[in-house]
Amino acid sequence: AQKVTQAQTEISVVEKEDVTLDCVYETRDTTYYLFWYKQPPSGELVFLIRRNSFDEQNEISGRYSWNFQKSTSSFNFTITASQVVDSAVYFCALIKGDSSASKIIFGSGTRLSIRP
Amino acid sequence: DGGITQSPKYLFRKEGQNVTLSCEQNLNHDAMYWYRQDPGQGLRLIYYSQIVNDFQKGDIAEGYSVSREKKESFPLTVTSAQKNPTAFYLCASSIGGLLIGTDTQYFGPGTRLTVL
């Protein structure tokens, strides 16, 4: 069975602090894809990143960085020098490599609040 | 601008009434999806469609129906058989085709349905 766990329900930090959102996944597939989405108060899910299971290189995009470690089944997301606009709910998600089911499994989300 | 539109943003209905939520995309995507989000929870898949005139049940299809008569449109009907319909509904689309199942899903702004 596949599962995505985001153990941090809510995180609150002061602006300019760095913050890491944890994501742990379970899957028996050797080929799979991992995603992070941002859901601001407006409700729309915004796609942030997609990684496949064969690419363990960390990725940096501006203030955002992702640490993918297959050994610990984790795909953590770090925001450096956080800003108030980063306040949102963040979802980690997993999709299996075969295309039969077309089902993406979401974690329950982490609500991030950045205080001025 | 390419994107996904959902209407209306807020919808109220009386118990026992059917209601249809609209989802339109102009991204030329083959695949479309409907999700339900309850407070403090992740997304759950209701229905998905890989191609016109075809759709599949997701994890929580009971009490819902869909149609896919056009590539651009994937309306969701919440029927009176749905026991607890109050929720936030998100529509998504993805390229599909040979990538179906592993391609990135892009989301609309959502419709918040409240049953009075």
Side-chain angles (χ1 to χ4, degrees):
Chain A
Q2 298 181 104
K3 188 178 177 182
V4 176
T5 301
Q6 295 180 256
Q8 303 151 309
T9 306
E10 293 191 35
I11 300 176
S12 180
V13 301
V14 176
E15 199 172 17
K16 297 183 184 176
E17 285 186 12
D18 299 346
V19 58
T20 295
L21 309 182
D22 297 334
C23 173
V24 174
Y25 62 91
E26 295 176 29
T27 181
R28 293 178 182 170
D29 296 298
T30 55
T31 302
Y32 51 89
Y33 297 81
L34 295 164
F35 301 80
W36 275 96
Y37 285 87
K38 173 183 180 179
Q39 187 176 40
S42 59
E44 179 175 353
L45 259 72
V46 178
F47 166 74
L48 296 178
I49 190 170
R50 171 178 181 263
R51 301 304 298 274
N52 72 58
S53 53
F54 298 108
D55 183 1
E56 285 192 75
Q57 274 194 339
N58 291 333
E59 182 153 342
I60 298 175
S61 176
R63 296 184 296 106
Y64 295 173
S65 62
W66 290 269
N67 183 358
F68 177 26
Q69 292 196 341
K70 286 178 75 170
S71 60
T72 56
S73 297
S74 65
F75 186 42
N76 296 338
F77 172 33
T78 297
I79 301 175
T80 303
S82 60
Q83 300 176 3
V84 173
V85 293
D86 296 326
S87 297
V89 180
Y90 290 86
F91 290 96
C92 180
L94 164 75
I95 198 164
K96 59 192 295 185
D98 83 62
S99 57
S100 59
S102 190
K103 285 191 193 178
I104 186 168
I105 307 298
F106 285 87
S108 55
T110 296
R111 181 175 299 278
L112 177 63
S113 298
I114 310 298
R115 308 190 304 274
Chain B
D1 280 16
I4 303 171
T5 57
Q6 291 184 243
S7 61
K9 190 165 180 63
Y10 299 95
L11 188 57
F12 299 88
R13 83 151 209 224
K14 295 181 180 178
E15 259 188 80
Q17 289 181 336
N18 291 356
V19 62
T20 298
L21 281 60
S22 166
C23 177
E24 304 278 332
Q25 55 98 0
N26 60 4
L27 300 168
N28 199 33
H29 285 172
D30 282 318
M32 297 186 74
Y33 312 79
W34 273 105
Y35 292 89
R36 169 182 173 137
Q37 186 180 25
D38 292 286
Q41 297 188 30
L43 280 68
R44 291 184 291 168
L45 182 64
I46 304 173
Y47 267 99
Y48 65 98
S49 168
Q50 299 185 5
I51 199 166
V52 174
N53 292 322
D54 179 70
F55 48 83
Q56 309 292 331
K57 291 182 179 180
D59 299 317
I60 55 166
E62 186 175 349
Y64 299 98
S65 65
V66 293
S67 62
R68 187 83 187 279
E69 297 175 3
K70 297 187 300 181
K71 187 175 185 177
E72 305 79 21
S73 178
F74 191 41
L76 172 75
T77 296
V78 184
T79 75
S80 56
Q82 169 51 234
K83 299 300 180 192
N84 186 20
T86 295
F88 187 55
Y89 291 87
L90 284 156
C91 177
S93 71
S94 67
I95 292 174
L98 292 176
L99 295 176
I100 189 70
T102 61
D103 53 336
T104 301
Q105 295 182 22
Y106 296 91
F107 287 80
T111 292
R112 192 168 298 280
L113 173 65
T114 302
V115 175
L116 304 171

